[in-house]
Amino acid sequence: MPELPEVEILCRNLRRWLKGREVRLEDLDFGCGDRQMVVTEVRRRAKVALIQGNETWVVHLRMTGKVVPSRPEGRTRARFHAGADSYDFEDTRRLGTLSVVDRFDDSRLGPEPWPVERDGSWWQQQLARGGRGAIKPTLMRQELVAGLGNIAANEILFEAGISPYRLTSTLTRWTELADAAHRYLTETVRREQADEIHYINQGGPNPFQVYQRTHCARCGAPVRKGRQQSRSSFDCSACQS
DNA sequence: CTATTTGTTATCGT
DNA sequence: TACGATAACAAATA
């Protein structure tokens, strides 16, 4: 699934493909109508890609969205034309969104956890505002820290050795959390950098340490699968506390 | 048919 | 009343 690292890669691709060019947006399935503008900048905010010019095209990939150089196959919901080149917003499950705004309103999004290197006290300060609950649902609250989804939360907590069920108020391993978050996000961007992002669940090996694994990548013990706020949580009780 | 999967948002319950 | 947990929603697939 696309999360912060995948959206970061998308933005880098869009910058390379569209920035400084006259771009025509051909709307096939979003209802925003065909548009045209000179793209002056492409920015990422949390899990949203912002294509900016006279107006802003807001791209959210949700579950199955991706933007790739045009090709015959794939369920294309919109197409970006730049001269002789074109790029397709493909989205098999059609949960992605593309909207047009004058100015993107990010007032309900918290600060970015990356690429700025945040330290343990920064994470503690941001997440302490989340109240009394468990750390994992709190990590995913976009108004506290913007851009972490279910997979990232599972993986970061595993790398930090923190149980997803630990109450935020009793957490002491803040430096480990900060390091794990930065390492996970940086490493995932580096590993997945490509013109097309390949998501899990469509063949290929599981690239994650605990997410959708049956056994712990570190110690081999069985991975526990649970649910928090109706989202799947994976953890190794031997490696995480 | 059901069970999944996502982020967002609405609603329920304590 | 406020906050945390739960469920609904969008759509498609196995």
Side-chain angles (χ1 to χ4, degrees):
Chain A
M1 317 302 158
E3 288 198 11
L4 189 154
E6 291 79 9
V7 179
E8 174 67 22
I9 293 167
L10 167 70
C11 287
R12 292 179 184 186
N13 289 340
L14 290 175
R15 214 168 282 137
R16 183 156 40 85
W17 294 336
L18 306 182
K19 185 173 175 178
R21 308 181 73 177
E22 177 85 26
V23 178
R24 185 168 63 87
L25 167 60
E26 180 187 1
D27 174 31
L28 304 172
D29 194 31
F30 289 108
C32 62
D34 293 354
R35 323 287 299 190
Q36 187 157 344
M37 69 178 179
V38 175
V39 173
T40 55
E41 188 52 274
V42 179
R43 293 197 306 120
R44 179 188 61 78
R45 181 73 170 99
K47 282 170 270 198
V48 172
L50 303 170
I51 303 171
Q52 299 176 314
N54 289 337
E55 56 192 23
T56 298
W57 300 342
V58 183
V59 174
H60 200 316
L61 301 175
R62 285 288 186 101
M63 279 190 71
T64 57
K66 54 172 70 174
V67 180
V68 297
S70 289
R71 54 188 180 185
E73 74 271 20
R75 184 186 295 248
T76 300
R77 305 187 63 197
R79 184 168 284 135
F80 300 98
H81 299 271
D85 305 317
S86 67
Y87 307 90
D88 292 355
F89 185 159
E90 295 180 356
D91 185 19
T92 49
R93 296 198 181 176
R94 301 180 65 226
L95 295 177
T97 59
L98 194 161
S99 62
V100 178
V101 298
D102 287 331
R103 193 182 55 82
F104 179 69
D105 175 18
D106 72 346
S107 61
R108 295 167 74 170
L109 291 174
E112 293 283 330
W114 186 89
V116 181
E117 286 207 44
R118 308 293 195 179
D119 64 13
S121 62
W122 183 87
W123 284 94
Q124 182 172 22
Q125 205 163 6
Q126 297 304 316
L127 300 187
R129 308 175 29 119
R132 291 179 283 280
I135 181 65
K136 187 188 163 243
T138 305
L139 257 188
M140 294 191 289
R141 284 174 54 175
Q142 304 296 300
E143 81 277 18
L144 302 178
V145 171
L148 299 184
N150 193 40
I151 294 174
N154 273 290
E155 293 293 294
I156 289 169
L157 289 173
F158 174 80
E159 287 195 29
I162 298 168
S163 165
Y165 304 100
R166 172 166 290 280
L167 299 181
T168 307
S169 58
T170 69
L171 185 59
T172 56
R173 300 171 66 85
W174 291 104
T175 300
E176 289 86 345
L177 176 64
D179 291 349
H182 194 266
R183 201 178 331 120
Y184 173 77
L185 296 170
T186 301
E187 179 60 22
T188 305
V189 168
R190 190 199 61 76
R191 173 162 46 88
E192 297 187 350
Q193 182 79 243
D195 280 3
E196 176 175 358
I197 301 161
H198 294 278
Y199 301 138
I200 192 178
N201 290 344
Q202 213 58 358
N206 181 347
F208 304 112
Q209 306 261 20
V210 276
Y211 181 76
Q212 288 188 357
R213 279 197 177 275
T214 55
H215 295 280
C216 174
R218 185 179 294 152
C219 75
V223 163
R224 165 173 56 179
K225 177 175 182 177
R227 239 160 218 287
Q228 292 175 286
Q229 315 212 293
S230 71
R231 288 304 187 254
S232 56
S233 286
F234 299 84
D235 76 300
C236 170
S237 54
C239 296
Q240 295 170 261
S241 58

